[in-house]
Amino acid sequence: MKLIFLYTTLFFISTLKIYAQDSSFVHFSFNADSAYLVIDNEFDEIIKIQNNQAVKLLVGNRYISLGLPNKAIKKFYMMVLKDSTTSKEVTFDDLALSIENLKNNFATAAFFEANIMIISEPDTEIMYEDSLLGIGFTTFRSNDRFPEFQFKDNQGKISDISTKIYGQFTVLEHNVRPSKYYSRSVSFIPGASQWYKNQKIKSLGYILGTTGLSISYLLAKNSYETEREKYYTILDTYQTSVNEIETLELGNKLEDHAHTLKLLDNRRRIFLGLTILTYVGNIFDSFLSTPKGGYSNPKPLNFYLDNILIDGNHISTATLKVNLNSLK
């Protein structure tokens, strides 16, 4: 009982010390109307502050995170002095809007009231548990650790995607259709571009055709070189022979080998030409053929995030945005 009483007393004393800590004011100014503030990485307590607003902080060395929606956040240490008002000026960089700037940006999460942002092609339906979230873009709020989403492309094909949540805010960019750049970048590999574009039969044709013709060329080349060595061996013997009968026999052999050598050379050249034509055809097809449903053509992020003011309401210029706050 005495030990329990001692621990309880120490707990209340430490709690009183925490509440008895001195606090002072920090006057924040920045190049925006408002910003989101997090103190000492307490991301469960995000505070929205106005420009030139004074905030009450505990005295000591505080770790400050200050963020704007869709911008890179600012993080810094600052000393809060006792019985004084400290001024802190923060200048946010005018960075281009990008997915990297959105990742882990608690200000953007607070602004959208969502912890996930999903971007896809403009005509792709984004679904969660058979509910349509948006077309091409949506913001999403859920306490699921590993939520799964479905993407339905313009051909009606549905693909499932699972994401892991890292940090305070996650941006998922998932294009369901092939990328033109990637398709062409792998065109040097026979059949790779066609396989990537889901043209499986054509891909197998280029793979087997190029591989088979290449092997046939190598075998024909090896036979040609073997026969060529035999021909020159006989030719050397023929040129040094002093026996008339032997010279006559060697001459007949040379004629036979020369005929065989010509046939093998023609065969080697034909297989080489067919291999080159097949390979070039593969590259041309990689650049000229398009996948079913077309290539991926995502719109820039600002297309979805910019908005216009209509009758006092900010309306997205792009597409539907839904926050399902009641889920999970």
Side-chain angles (χ1 to χ4, degrees), residues 255-287:
E255 289 182 4
D256 292 338
H257 278 281
H259 179 69
T260 303
L261 192 62
K262 185 176 181 180
L263 293 176
L264 291 175
D265 185 40
N266 290 336
R267 185 181 179 186
R268 178 193 64 160
R269 292 175 184 274
I270 290 172
F271 280 127
L272 177 60
L274 290 174
T275 302
I276 293 173
L277 285 175
T278 305
Y279 183 75
V280 171
N282 160 76
I283 294 178
F284 269 99
D285 182 79
S286 300
F287 278 78

Side-chain angles (χ1 to χ4, degrees), residues 10 21 52 62 76 83 111 116 120 124 131 160-161 170 172 192 206 210 230 233 285 300 309-311:
L10 290 174
Q21 283 181 336
N52 295 317
R62 306 266 72 88
F76 51 88
D83 298 329
F111 178 78
I116 302 174
S120 190
T124 297
S131 297
D160 298 320
I161 188 83
T170 295
L172 172 65
Y206 280 116
T210 306
K230 291 180 180 179
T233 299
D285 182 79
L309 190 65
I310 299 179
D311 296 332

Side-chain angles (χ1 to χ4, degrees), residues 214-233:
S214 297
I215 293 173
S216 298
Y217 163 71
L218 292 175
L219 292 174
K221 181 174 179 289
N222 183 64
S223 299
Y224 170 79
E225 291 177 348
T226 301
E227 189 65 29
R228 188 168 178 268
E229 289 179 3
K230 291 180 180 179
Y231 175 82
Y232 280 106
T233 299

Side-chain angles (χ1 to χ4, degrees), residues 1-17:
M1 288 295 292
K2 290 182 179 180
L3 186 61
I4 295 174
F5 176 76
L6 177 61
Y7 280 133
T8 304
T9 303
L10 290 174
F11 172 77
F12 278 110
I13 291 173
S14 61
T15 304
L16 287 172
K17 284 183 178 180

